[in-house]
Amino acid sequence: MSNEQRVDRVIDEAIKRRFAPPDLDAVVQHVRAHGQRPRRWWWGWRAAAAAVLILVLVAWWIWLDDGTGPSEPSDGTQAEIVIEEVPISEAGSQLGCGMVNDWSAVAQRPPQAWIPFPVCSTENFASMTKKTLGCVVSVDESCRPTVPVRDKLKPSMLSFTARRGDDVVIVYLVPSAEDAIPTLPASNVRCWRRAVGPVVAYEVSDLPEPFVLPSLTVPQ
Amino acid sequence: MEQEAQAGPAVSPEAFADMLARSSRALWCLAAAVLGRSDGAEDVVQEAALTALGKLEDLVRADGFEAWMGQIVRFTALNARRRRDHHRSGELTPAAEPVAQPSPPESPAQAVIAPDGTLQEDQEAFDDHVQAALATLDDVPRACLLLKVVAELGYKEISKLLDVPEGTAMSHVHRARLRLRERLTGVPGSLDSGRVGS
């Protein structure tokens, strides 16, 4: 071994003593753990914001679907639905708006023989109301009308029935210009009235509240 | 530290950690070489690794890990050294643990090691002289020497880590050894003339 090699070896040993690498496992583990986190700190915020947005949208959708949420008014009157109950008069025996004279018989609870009712399609109902009343009237799917009945009514009037479970309601639609609040004979039925755009609707049934009237709309 | 080639469009954090584990010793030596001391080298490696982890998309090929990571470690260590130097320059009192900087010997009479390798003083003092002599080297030669001596890398691996030609790495190691011998023995030039023993 040369002197040069001897000196180099002594120097190398000194270098190794002064620059002895520590155990770097902790550093590697720290980096490994750090690598399992999201690479960008704002990714977490993005994910959280997206989750909140999705929750809001789902809640909004459920709220709307539930029917309790706000809805876009399809006509000018839907946002201000006003339904008034028409008092039943013992004196009256006719519908002042020209309904059939034997209304007292109709006003009784409809016979069960009417069930089942053929259901009027949305298109047919819209077509019928357009032809009869001069404007399209829509009704909610939950209370779809049976086949409209026009027998013995004025040509500009329309009546139909709808079912809520085993209960049946009768609805009359009349143009506002021809409206006259009817009087009905005393019975166990109730009558409600609602003005929907150019149409006035009456609902007669023995239910404690109107069933069809709230869902009537007249699209613009 | 020979890396198996993992050619691919990207390197996962897990693969990065594996490569870091295999290269950590060499990277630590590189950091210590730039710092000029072992203190703080571990922190530099960790800081550099975290920096690299956030830029993994820049590492297109796994077989380019050494050069890429070596550069990040060097830059990180340089910044740490500048911060340290700046901090020291702003101090009114000496650093708590000043690095020993003994004057290198100027002549054989002042040599801290005899031409035959015999120490002229105790080992601790000799180690201080070696570290002081190392401090006189430039960063790259010092890094080449530490990677060769401490990390025991081959010249090919050193050249990858420092992104220099293999012959350059070899030359740096040779010149660094020569420089240290001259400063510690006080004998300029080669010592080959005095062979001793068989």
Side-chain angles (χ1 to χ4, degrees), chain A residues 23-37:
Chain A
D23 184 359
L24 296 167
D25 283 351
V27 173
V28 174
Q29 291 305 319
H30 179 75
V31 172
R32 198 181 295 279
H34 198 273
Q36 293 173 348
R37 300 176 194 163

Side-chain angles (χ1 to χ4, degrees), chain A residues 117-121 124-125 128 144-150 158-162:
Chain A
F117 299 100
V119 176
C120 184
S121 70
N124 285 344
F125 185 73
M128 183 65 73
R144 293 178 64 182
T146 60
V147 175
V149 178
R150 293 198 301 167
L158 182 68
S159 70
F160 64 90
T161 58

Side-chain angles (χ1 to χ4, degrees), chain B residues 99-171:
Chain B
V99 176
Q101 298 284 345
S103 300
E106 299 296 337
S107 68
Q110 297 173 307
V112 295
I113 182 172
D116 63 355
T118 304
L119 298 184
Q120 303 296 310
E121 51 189 2
D122 65 86
Q123 180 180 291
E124 186 69 20
F126 175 72
D127 290 352
D128 288 343
H129 281 290
V130 170
Q131 186 166 350
L134 275 172
T136 65
L137 301 177
D138 290 336
D139 290 351
V140 175
R142 185 166 58 237
C144 287
L145 185 61
L146 286 186
L147 291 170
K148 181 68 178 173
V149 173
V150 180
E152 299 177 339
L153 298 188
Y155 291 114
K156 183 178 180 182
E157 294 163 321
I158 295 174
S159 70
K160 278 186 178 179
L161 198 60
L162 295 178
D163 199 20
V164 297
E166 192 172 339
T168 303
M170 193 181 303
S171 174

Side-chain angles (χ1 to χ4, degrees), chain A:
Chain A
M1 179 181 291
S2 67
N3 283 345
E4 181 180 307
Q5 289 171 325
R6 288 178 184 277
V7 171
D8 282 349
R9 193 172 68 175
V10 172
I11 293 174
D12 285 356
E13 293 304 317
I15 292 175
K16 287 179 181 178
R17 284 191 295 271
R18 279 300 165 98
F19 292 91
D23 184 359
L24 296 167
D25 283 351
V27 173
V28 174
Q29 291 305 319
H30 179 75
V31 172
R32 198 181 295 279
H34 198 273
Q36 293 173 348
R37 300 176 194 163
R39 300 253 320 266
R40 306 289 189 200
W41 65 269
W42 59 84
W43 284 13
W45 290 103
R46 283 182 179 175
V52 169
L53 182 61
I54 290 172
L55 284 175
V56 168
L57 290 176
V58 168
W60 179 262
W61 178 78
I62 291 175
W63 191 31
L64 292 178
D65 192 56
D66 188 44
T68 59
S71 58
E72 197 68 27
S74 57
D75 61 34
T77 60
Q78 187 175 5
E80 299 177 355
I81 294 179
V82 177
I83 299 175
E84 54 181 339
E85 184 173 2
V86 177
I88 300 297
S89 169
E90 293 185 6
S93 61
Q94 293 185 353
L95 292 175
C97 58
M99 294 183 183
V100 291
N101 292 331
D102 56 348
W103 167 250
S104 58
V106 178
Q108 302 302 314
R109 183 178 176 82
Q112 297 297 312
W114 288 12
I115 303 173
F117 299 100
V119 176
C120 184
S121 70
T122 302
E123 293 76 16
N124 285 344
F125 185 73
S127 174
M128 183 65 73
T129 55
K130 176 70 175 176
K131 182 188 298 182
T132 306
L133 303 169
C135 65
V136 173
V137 178
S138 299
V139 67
D140 193 84
E141 285 283 327
S142 62
C143 47
R144 293 178 64 182
T146 60
V147 175
V149 178
R150 293 198 301 167
D151 293 347
K152 299 181 181 180
L153 297 181
K154 293 172 62 176
S156 60
M157 298 178 66
L158 182 68
S159 70
F160 64 90
T161 58
R163 289 185 58 193
R164 192 182 77 169
D166 291 334
D167 296 313
V168 179
V169 302
I170 303 174
V171 178
Y172 292 92
L173 300 176
V174 59
S176 299
E178 301 180 29
D179 178 40
I181 295 178
T183 56
L184 298 176
S187 66
N188 61 342
V189 299
R190 305 175 73 175
C191 181
W192 287 270
R193 176 183 182 275
R194 179 192 170 194
V196 188
V199 175
V200 174
Y202 291 92
E203 178 176 333
V204 180
S205 76
D206 58 355
L207 297 175
E209 58 190 9
F211 171 53
V212 174
L213 295 195
S215 70
L216 289 176
T217 58
V218 177
Q220 294 289 335

